[in-house]
Amino acid sequence: MPAKTPAPFDLDSLKNALPKIFDQAQTTAANHQKNYIALYKLHSDAAAITESVQNGKSLKLTGERVFEDLFLDMITRVLPLKKGTTVADRIVKFIAGYSKFITEKSAEERQKNGIDEDDETTSERFLNHFVHFLLKGCTAKDKVVRFRVIQCIADTISHLGEIDEDLYAKLRATLLDRLRDKEPTVRTQAVIALSKLAFSEVPSELEEGEPSILDSILDTMAYDTSPEVRRAALLNVHLSPQTLPALLARSRDVDPTIRKLVYSHVLENNSINRDPAIPIGFTHPRALTIAQREMIVRNGLGDREESVKAAARQLLGSWVDVVRSDGIKKDEGVKSEGIIEDLVAFLKLFDLTEDTIAEDALSSVLQTRVDIYEHIEFEEDYWTSITPERAFLARVFVDQCIAKKDNLKLDSTLPVVTALAFRISDAYNALVEQVHEDATAAFDELDEDERARREEARLDREFAIGEMLRLALNLDYGDEIGRRKMFQLVQSMLAQDVLPEALLARCLDVLRVLSPNERDLIRVVVEVVHELRDPSDPDAEAEAEAAMKGDVDDAETEMGSPRRPQRPAQLPKPATEMSPEEKARADAVDLRCLALCIGMLERVNGTFEENSTLEGILGELIIPAVKRREMALREKGLISLGLCCLIARRMALSSFQLFLSQVQSAPEVLKIRVLQIIFDILMVHEGAFLGPGSPNGDKIVDFLLQLLEAEELERVQALLVVGIAKLMLSGMVTDERVLQTLVLVFISPETAGNQELRQCLSYFFPVYSYSSAANQQRMRKIFVPLYERLVKAYHEWDGEEDMVTPAQVALMFVDWTDPIRAGDAAKGLRKECEKDPVHLDLATDVIKALFSTEYDKEDKKALCQMLGKLYLPDEVDDDKVRMLKLLLNNLRSRRPPRDTAAKNALAKFDAALWKKYERQLENFSEDEFRKLEELRELFEFLDDIIPDDDEDEEPPKKGRKRRSLSIATETTTSAATSGERSPPPSPRHGRGKAKCGIAPYTSEVLACLLTIPTTQATTSIAVR
C-alpha cells in the first residue's frame, strides 16, 4: 500500500497550536521539555513556508514572521502580570528554556548542513527579533512590564549565542540604564542580566573613562539602597581576583542576609574547585591574604546576628579540613594523630600576635567541631619542640576546657607544674642566648635577610614563652615543689633586664597567682626594682649573698617561698658624675623599673595606705621620673603616679593640679596619656572632684570644655569627648552646657572626618536620653537655645563640608526625647513611659520659640513640622494642656507662620491636640486663666508680643563674611555677674587659634584654679 503524502503545513493552525503549548507550559514545568520539541517542530514547519519576491531574486520569510508574531503575542499576555505570579514565572522559564533549545539546534544545523558563519539560521533570526522586541519594553511606563521584560532578558541572555555588535551595544546600554531604575525589582533583574553579559565584554575596547559592566555591578552591590538588588549582585557576580575585595566588603553590609551569604555562598562554596587538577579555589584560605582572612574572622565572629555568626563558624570549621596538604577536603573520620597538624596549619593562616583574631577563630572551631575537640590530646612529645602555634593551641584549648567546665579533659591536658616550669626555663634561656648573640658585633655583619630571620625567630620565642606563662595561670599549684620552682623562675626572669617588656605582664600575672595577697606581690616587685637599680658590683653582690646564705632558710614569705637576701643599700651615683654610657644605662634601668611598677599597680586593688612598701618606690623612682625632661621617662612616671592616685584618694587630691598643668603644652602622645589619667581619677574619686559638695566641680567642667574648644588634634578631641560622655552617662556631670556642647560638636561639619568622635556620640545620645526621664528632660531643655545658635551658624556657614540642617537636628531631638522609644530601649526598666509628658513640654518650648522674629520661614517650618511628630500621652496634667492650647491660639492669631506648609502643619497639630484632649479643653477660657497667679509671667510674655502685620516678612539678611559654627565660651566671671550659664565651647575653629572667651590656663592660674586642701595629702609634688 503506498505511503500517505503528508498534508501541507497550514499557518492558520499556529493560532490554535501555540496557545495550547503555552497553556500546558504555564500549568507545570514538568512538560516543558515535551513542549520544546513540539514548539520547535511548529517553528521549523512554519519557517519552511516562504514566498518568492522580486522575480525570484529573494525570498520572503512568511512562515517565520507569522510564527514570531504569534509567539510575541503569547509573551505580551505575560508581561502585565505582577511579580510572584506562578503561571507567569513558568512561562518566563519556558521561554528561556526554548531559547536554549533552539540555540543548541542551530549549532547542530550549522554543523550538519555546513552553513557559513555569515549566514543566519532560523533560530538566530528568531532570537534577534525576540530581543529587539523585549528592548522596546525596557522603557515602558508600567513598572510590572519593565520587570517582566528585564526578567525575560536576564533568563535568555546566556542562550543567545552570537549576536551582532549593534544589538550587543543596544542591549548593554539598555541594561546599564535599568540599573538606575526607580524600582528595585527591575534593578535586580538588570543586575542578573548584566552579570551574564559581563563575560563577553572586552575592557580594552571601552572608551577612556567609560565604566565597564563589572564596575557598574560592583558599584551597585556596594551602594544600591535595596538589599534585594545588592543580594542579586552578590550572588551573580563572577568571582575573580578583581571582584573578591568587593565581595568581602559585603561582610559589613547593613542587611544580615547579605552578610550571611558572603560566608555561606561566596566563601565556603568556592574554597575548593570542582576541577581536581586545580583543587584550590578563589576563596581557599591559602589563596586569601592574611589581611583578608583576618577581616573575614573579625567581621563574621563579631557580627551581632546569630545567623551570620553561625555561617562564619561553619566556614572556619571547613577551613580546618582544607587548609593542609593539597586543599582537598577530607571525608574520612577524624584521626587523633592528624588533628594537631591540622590545627597548627590552621593557626599559620593568622598573625597570632594581631589582636585576638586567631584566638577567636580557634575557639570557634573548638566550639563547633566537637569531633576535633574530643580527639585533641597533648602527649609528652608535644612539649619537646614547642612552637608559637603549638603553645597557642595548648593555651586556647585549656581556656576552652575551663569555659566549658570540662574538668576531666582539663586534668588530662594540663602539664605538670614542674615540667612546664622547666620548659619555660629552657625556652627563656634560649631567648637570652639569642639576645646576647644579637648584641655582638657579628650580628651587624649579617645580611638583611638573615637579620630579619633571626628577628622573627626571637619574636617567635617571646610569643611561645608568653603563651606558656598564660597557660601557667591555670595550673594546679597544690604541688609545693612545682609552685616554688615556678615562683623562683618568674622572680628570676623579672630581675633580668634582658626580659622583653612584652613578657613583663605575663610574669606579673603568674606572680599574682602565686602570691597569697597583694602585699606579698608588692614586696617581691619592690625587691626586684631595688635589685635592678642597685649599683653594687658582682663581687660585692656575691659576698653579700654568701654572708646571708645561712639565714635564707629562716626568712620565708607568707606562702613559704624563700625571701631574696637583702644587699647593703648603696646610693646611686649623681647624674653629674656619670658618663654618657652610664646615664643611658641608668635611664634604661629606670624605664624597666617603671614598667614593672605600672604592671604591678595595675594588679593592685587595695589602697595605697595598706601597702606602705609603695612609699619608697614613689619617692625614689616615680616622682623623679615625673620631673625628668626625657619624654619616655616622664610618660611612664606620670602613668605610674596616676595609678598610685587611683588607690590613694589624698594623693589624687594633691596631684590633680600636676596632671592639669601637663595637658597644656604636652605633645600628642603624652597629652592622651594624661587625659586618660585625669578621667580615670575623676571616675574613681567622683565625690572628691565632681560630687555635690565639691567646690571645684564647675571649674573642672570649665577646664574640660576649654580644652575641647582649643584642641585641634582629632585623637585628643575624640578622647575628650569619650571622657566627658562617660562623666555625663554616669551622672557625675549634669551641667546642661556640657550636653549642649556635645550636641554641637556632634553636628559640627568640622568634626565630620573624626569618625571615632562621631561614632562615640552617635552611641552616647540615644543611650543617655533613654536611660532616664531626667536625662530626656535635660535634652528637652537645651533644644531651643541650641536651635537658635544652630540656625545662625547654618546661614553663615560657607565651608566645604555639608552642615546638618536645622530640620534634621529637630528630628534628632524628637527621637532622643521620645518616651516610647526610651521605654522600648530600656526593656521594661522604665515604668509608665507612656505617661511621660516630655514631648508635651517640648511642644510648649517650641511654640514659645515660634513667637521669635529671628527665624526665617524655613526655620519656622522645621519647627512646625516637628510638632506633628511628637508623642502626646493619654494622661497628662490639665494645666499643661491648657497652657499649650493658649500658646497655640496666640501664635496662630498674633504671629502665624507665613509659609503654607508650616501653617498647615501648625493647624494639623492644633487639631490633633484638640482631638486628643477634648475633655480637658472643653471649657477652656483664656479669661479664667488670666486670673491665675502662676500664669502671670506667661501672660506678660504674650501681652508683650506685637502682632505681625499683613506684609510679607523680609528675607533674612546674610552676614558680610561667613564663619564656622561658633560655640564660644564665656568667662566664668561674666557668667557669675550675669546670673546666667555661659554657653559651651565649640569644636575646632581653625589652626592655632581658639575662638573662646577663656584664655588658656597658665601654670599660675592652674595653681589657684583648684582650692583642694593638701595638708593631709600623702605626697605633694611640685614640678619645676
Side-chain angles (χ1 to χ4, degrees), residues 91 167 544:
I91 292 299
L167 179 59

Side-chain angles (χ1 to χ4, degrees), residues 707-719:
L707 280 180
L708 186 58
E709 151 72 14
E711 190 54 57
E712 295 182 0
L713 298 171
E714 289 190 351
R715 289 185 61 197
V716 181
Q717 271 187 345
L719 178 59

Side-chain angles (χ1 to χ4, degrees), residues 94-114:
F94 176 74
I95 294 169
Y98 183 67
S99 301
K100 179 181 180 182
F101 184 82
I102 63 174
T103 301
E104 295 173 354
K105 289 294 184 180
S106 175
E108 294 176 3
E109 184 181 351
R110 281 186 180 276
Q111 185 176 5
K112 181 179 179 180
N113 300 330

Side-chain angles (χ1 to χ4, degrees), residues 202-222:
V202 181
S204 60
E205 296 179 357
L206 297 175
E207 297 181 2
E208 186 177 356
E210 181 182 5
S212 65
I213 293 177
L214 189 58
D215 292 337
S216 300
I217 295 175
L218 295 180
D219 286 343
T220 301
M221 183 171 63

Side-chain angles (χ1 to χ4, degrees), residues 746-765:
F746 179 55
I747 63 178
S748 172
E750 294 182 348
T751 62
N754 195 338
Q755 295 300 319
E756 183 180 359
L757 181 148
R758 287 291 181 97
Q759 186 177 15
C760 167
L761 290 179
S762 64
Y763 175 80
F764 163 75
F765 286 119

Side-chain angles (χ1 to χ4, degrees), residues 46 74 264 339 358 369 386 468 491 579 592 700 724 762 812 984:
M74 294 293 103
S264 61
I339 290 178
R369 295 290 301 273
I386 199 70
M468 286 191 286
Q491 190 177 31
S579 63
R592 167 51 61 87
I700 293 174
I724 294 172
S762 64
M812 289 180 189

